[in-house]
Structure formats: structure tokens, C-alpha cells
Short mmCIF file of all heavy atoms in Angstrom, two decimals:
data_model
loop_
_atom_site.label_atom_id
_atom_site.label_comp_id
_atom_site.label_asym_id
_atom_site.label_seq_id
_atom_site.Cartn_x
_atom_site.Cartn_y
_atom_site.Cartn_z
N ILE W 589 -4.23 15.17 13.87
CA ILE W 589 -4.30 16.01 12.67
C ILE W 589 -3.57 15.42 11.46
O ILE W 589 -3.64 15.97 10.37
CB ILE W 589 -3.74 17.43 12.94
CG1 ILE W 589 -2.25 17.37 13.31
CG2 ILE W 589 -4.55 18.13 14.02
CD1 ILE W 589 -1.58 18.73 13.33
N ASN W 590 -2.88 14.31 11.66
CA ASN W 590 -2.16 13.66 10.55
C ASN W 590 -2.76 12.29 10.31
O ASN W 590 -2.60 11.38 11.13
CB ASN W 590 -0.67 13.55 10.88
CG ASN W 590 -0.02 14.89 11.18
OD1 ASN W 590 0.34 15.17 12.31
ND2 ASN W 590 0.08 15.74 10.18
N LYS W 591 -3.47 12.15 9.19
CA LYS W 591 -4.20 10.93 8.90
C LYS W 591 -3.61 10.20 7.70
O LYS W 591 -2.96 10.80 6.85
CB LYS W 591 -5.67 11.26 8.62
CG LYS W 591 -6.36 12.05 9.73
CD LYS W 591 -6.40 11.28 11.04
CE LYS W 591 -7.16 12.06 12.11
NZ LYS W 591 -7.18 11.32 13.41
N THR W 592 -3.86 8.91 7.64
CA THR W 592 -3.50 8.12 6.47
C THR W 592 -4.75 7.44 5.94
O THR W 592 -5.72 7.23 6.68
CB THR W 592 -2.45 7.04 6.80
OG1 THR W 592 -3.01 6.10 7.72
CG2 THR W 592 -1.19 7.65 7.39
N ILE W 593 -4.72 7.10 4.66
CA ILE W 593 -5.82 6.35 4.07
C ILE W 593 -5.23 5.30 3.14
O ILE W 593 -4.28 5.57 2.40
CB ILE W 593 -6.81 7.27 3.34
CG1 ILE W 593 -8.05 6.49 2.90
CG2 ILE W 593 -6.15 8.00 2.16
CD1 ILE W 593 -9.23 7.38 2.52
N SER W 594 -5.76 4.10 3.22
CA SER W 594 -5.27 3.00 2.39
C SER W 594 -6.39 1.97 2.27
O SER W 594 -7.47 2.15 2.84
CB SER W 594 -4.04 2.35 3.01
OG SER W 594 -4.40 1.63 4.19
N ILE W 595 -6.13 0.88 1.55
CA ILE W 595 -7.13 -0.19 1.49
C ILE W 595 -6.80 -1.27 2.52
O ILE W 595 -7.39 -2.35 2.51
CB ILE W 595 -7.21 -0.80 0.08
CG1 ILE W 595 -5.86 -1.41 -0.33
CG2 ILE W 595 -7.66 0.23 -0.94
CD1 ILE W 595 -5.95 -2.25 -1.59
N HIS W 596 -5.84 -0.95 3.41
CA HIS W 596 -5.45 -1.85 4.51
C HIS W 596 -5.01 -3.22 3.99
O HIS W 596 -5.33 -4.26 4.57
CB HIS W 596 -6.59 -2.00 5.52
CG HIS W 596 -6.95 -0.71 6.17
ND1 HIS W 596 -6.17 -0.13 7.15
CD2 HIS W 596 -8.00 0.12 5.97
CE1 HIS W 596 -6.73 1.00 7.54
NE2 HIS W 596 -7.84 1.18 6.84
N LYS W 597 -4.30 -3.18 2.89
CA LYS W 597 -3.77 -4.42 2.33
C LYS W 597 -2.58 -4.88 3.15
O LYS W 597 -1.70 -4.08 3.51
CB LYS W 597 -3.35 -4.19 0.87
CG LYS W 597 -2.80 -5.43 0.20
CD LYS W 597 -2.54 -5.17 -1.28
CE LYS W 597 -2.05 -6.43 -1.97
NZ LYS W 597 -1.87 -6.22 -3.43
N LYS W 598 -2.49 -6.15 3.44
CA LYS W 598 -1.36 -6.68 4.18
C LYS W 598 -0.16 -6.74 3.25
O LYS W 598 -0.19 -7.37 2.20
CB LYS W 598 -1.68 -8.07 4.73
CG LYS W 598 -0.55 -8.65 5.58
CD LYS W 598 -0.97 -9.94 6.24
CE LYS W 598 0.18 -10.57 7.02
NZ LYS W 598 0.72 -9.67 8.06
N ILE W 599 0.91 -6.06 3.65
CA ILE W 599 2.13 -6.06 2.86
C ILE W 599 2.99 -7.24 3.30
O ILE W 599 3.46 -7.27 4.44
CB ILE W 599 2.90 -4.74 3.03
CG1 ILE W 599 1.98 -3.53 2.81
CG2 ILE W 599 4.11 -4.69 2.09
CD1 ILE W 599 1.41 -3.41 1.44
N ALA W 600 3.16 -8.19 2.44
CA ALA W 600 3.85 -9.43 2.81
C ALA W 600 5.30 -9.21 3.19
O ALA W 600 5.80 -9.79 4.16
CB ALA W 600 3.76 -10.43 1.66
N ASN W 601 6.00 -8.35 2.45
CA ASN W 601 7.43 -8.14 2.70
C ASN W 601 7.74 -6.66 2.53
O ASN W 601 7.87 -6.16 1.42
CB ASN W 601 8.26 -8.97 1.72
CG ASN W 601 9.76 -8.91 2.04
OD1 ASN W 601 10.20 -8.11 2.86
ND2 ASN W 601 10.52 -9.76 1.38
N VAL W 602 7.86 -5.94 3.64
CA VAL W 602 8.07 -4.49 3.57
C VAL W 602 9.46 -4.13 3.07
O VAL W 602 9.71 -2.97 2.70
CB VAL W 602 7.82 -3.82 4.94
CG1 VAL W 602 6.38 -4.01 5.38
CG2 VAL W 602 8.78 -4.34 6.00
N LYS W 603 10.37 -5.09 3.04
CA LYS W 603 11.70 -4.83 2.50
C LYS W 603 11.70 -4.81 0.97
O LYS W 603 12.56 -4.20 0.34
CB LYS W 603 12.70 -5.88 2.98
CG LYS W 603 13.06 -5.79 4.45
CD LYS W 603 14.18 -6.78 4.79
CE LYS W 603 14.55 -6.69 6.27
NZ LYS W 603 15.66 -7.62 6.61
N HIS W 604 10.73 -5.48 0.39
CA HIS W 604 10.66 -5.57 -1.07
C HIS W 604 9.22 -5.30 -1.52
O HIS W 604 8.42 -6.23 -1.66
CB HIS W 604 11.15 -6.94 -1.55
CG HIS W 604 12.55 -7.26 -1.12
ND1 HIS W 604 13.65 -6.70 -1.72
CD2 HIS W 604 13.01 -8.06 -0.12
CE1 HIS W 604 14.75 -7.15 -1.12
NE2 HIS W 604 14.39 -7.97 -0.15
N ILE W 605 8.92 -4.04 -1.76
CA ILE W 605 7.58 -3.63 -2.15
C ILE W 605 7.33 -4.00 -3.61
O ILE W 605 8.19 -3.81 -4.48
CB ILE W 605 7.40 -2.11 -1.96
CG1 ILE W 605 7.61 -1.74 -0.49
CG2 ILE W 605 6.04 -1.66 -2.44
CD1 ILE W 605 6.64 -2.37 0.47
N ASP W 606 6.15 -4.52 -3.87
CA ASP W 606 5.77 -4.89 -5.24
C ASP W 606 5.40 -3.63 -6.03
O ASP W 606 4.33 -3.06 -5.84
CB ASP W 606 4.58 -5.86 -5.19
CG ASP W 606 4.15 -6.33 -6.57
OD1 ASP W 606 4.79 -5.95 -7.57
OD2 ASP W 606 3.15 -7.08 -6.65
N LYS W 607 6.28 -3.21 -6.92
CA LYS W 607 6.06 -1.97 -7.67
C LYS W 607 5.06 -2.14 -8.80
O LYS W 607 4.70 -1.17 -9.47
CB LYS W 607 7.39 -1.44 -8.21
CG LYS W 607 8.34 -0.97 -7.10
CD LYS W 607 9.60 -0.36 -7.66
CE LYS W 607 10.50 0.12 -6.53
NZ LYS W 607 11.75 0.75 -7.04
N SER W 608 4.59 -3.36 -9.00
CA SER W 608 3.55 -3.59 -10.01
C SER W 608 2.15 -3.59 -9.40
O SER W 608 1.16 -3.80 -10.08
CB SER W 608 3.80 -4.92 -10.74
OG SER W 608 3.63 -6.02 -9.84
N ASP W 609 2.09 -3.37 -8.09
CA ASP W 609 0.83 -3.36 -7.36
C ASP W 609 0.27 -1.94 -7.34
O ASP W 609 0.81 -1.06 -6.67
CB ASP W 609 1.04 -3.88 -5.95
CG ASP W 609 -0.26 -3.99 -5.15
OD1 ASP W 609 -1.29 -3.50 -5.63
OD2 ASP W 609 -0.22 -4.57 -4.05
N PHE W 610 -0.83 -1.71 -8.06
CA PHE W 610 -1.44 -0.38 -8.14
C PHE W 610 -2.76 -0.33 -7.36
O PHE W 610 -3.72 0.31 -7.79
CB PHE W 610 -1.67 0.00 -9.60
CG PHE W 610 -0.41 0.37 -10.34
CD1 PHE W 610 0.40 -0.61 -10.88
CD2 PHE W 610 -0.01 1.69 -10.44
CE1 PHE W 610 1.57 -0.28 -11.55
CE2 PHE W 610 1.16 2.03 -11.10
CZ PHE W 610 1.96 1.05 -11.67
N CYS W 611 -2.77 -0.96 -6.20
CA CYS W 611 -3.99 -0.99 -5.38
C CYS W 611 -4.41 0.40 -4.91
O CYS W 611 -5.57 0.60 -4.50
CB CYS W 611 -3.81 -1.92 -4.19
SG CYS W 611 -2.48 -1.45 -3.06
N ILE W 612 -3.51 1.37 -4.98
CA ILE W 612 -3.86 2.74 -4.59
C ILE W 612 -5.03 3.26 -5.41
O ILE W 612 -5.79 4.13 -4.97
CB ILE W 612 -2.62 3.67 -4.73
CG1 ILE W 612 -2.86 5.00 -4.00
CG2 ILE W 612 -2.26 3.91 -6.20
CD1 ILE W 612 -1.63 5.86 -3.87
N ARG W 613 -5.21 2.72 -6.61
CA ARG W 613 -6.29 3.16 -7.49
C ARG W 613 -7.67 2.79 -6.94
O ARG W 613 -8.69 3.31 -7.40
CB ARG W 613 -6.11 2.54 -8.88
CG ARG W 613 -4.84 3.00 -9.59
CD ARG W 613 -4.61 2.22 -10.87
NE ARG W 613 -3.42 2.67 -11.58
CZ ARG W 613 -2.89 2.06 -12.64
NH1 ARG W 613 -3.48 0.96 -13.12
NH2 ARG W 613 -1.82 2.54 -13.24
N ASN W 614 -7.70 1.87 -5.98
CA ASN W 614 -8.98 1.40 -5.43
C ASN W 614 -9.50 2.26 -4.28
O ASN W 614 -10.59 2.01 -3.76
CB ASN W 614 -8.84 -0.05 -4.96
CG ASN W 614 -8.48 -1.00 -6.09
OD1 ASN W 614 -8.92 -0.81 -7.23
ND2 ASN W 614 -7.68 -2.01 -5.80
N ILE W 615 -8.73 3.23 -3.88
CA ILE W 615 -9.17 4.10 -2.78
C ILE W 615 -10.21 5.09 -3.30
O ILE W 615 -10.00 5.77 -4.31
CB ILE W 615 -7.97 4.84 -2.16
CG1 ILE W 615 -7.00 3.83 -1.52
CG2 ILE W 615 -8.43 5.86 -1.12
CD1 ILE W 615 -5.71 4.43 -1.05
#
């Protein structure tokens, strides 16, 4: 009952997320 949706982009470094990446707009 708990789903996620994304573009399945590989996150290179989960410790330092790229805050200039707006790929969420492509969903």
C-alpha cells in the first residue's frame, strides 16, 4: 500500500545530493 515513483535515476553519491537536479519534473 506504500508506493514510490521516480525516474529511476542512479544517484552517484547519496551523501551529497545534487540540489540543482530537478529530474522530478520529468515524472
Side-chain angles (χ1 to χ4, degrees):
I589 63 169
N590 303 110
K591 305 298 183 181
T592 64
I593 188 164
S594 70
I595 61 169
H596 298 285
K597 181 174 183 177
K598 183 173 177 58
I599 310 296
N601 187 349
V602 298
K603 289 186 180 182
H604 302 284
I605 300 299
D606 182 2
K607 293 184 179 181
S608 66
D609 184 350
F610 286 83
C611 61
I612 194 170
R613 296 172 178 171
N614 299 326
I615 296 173

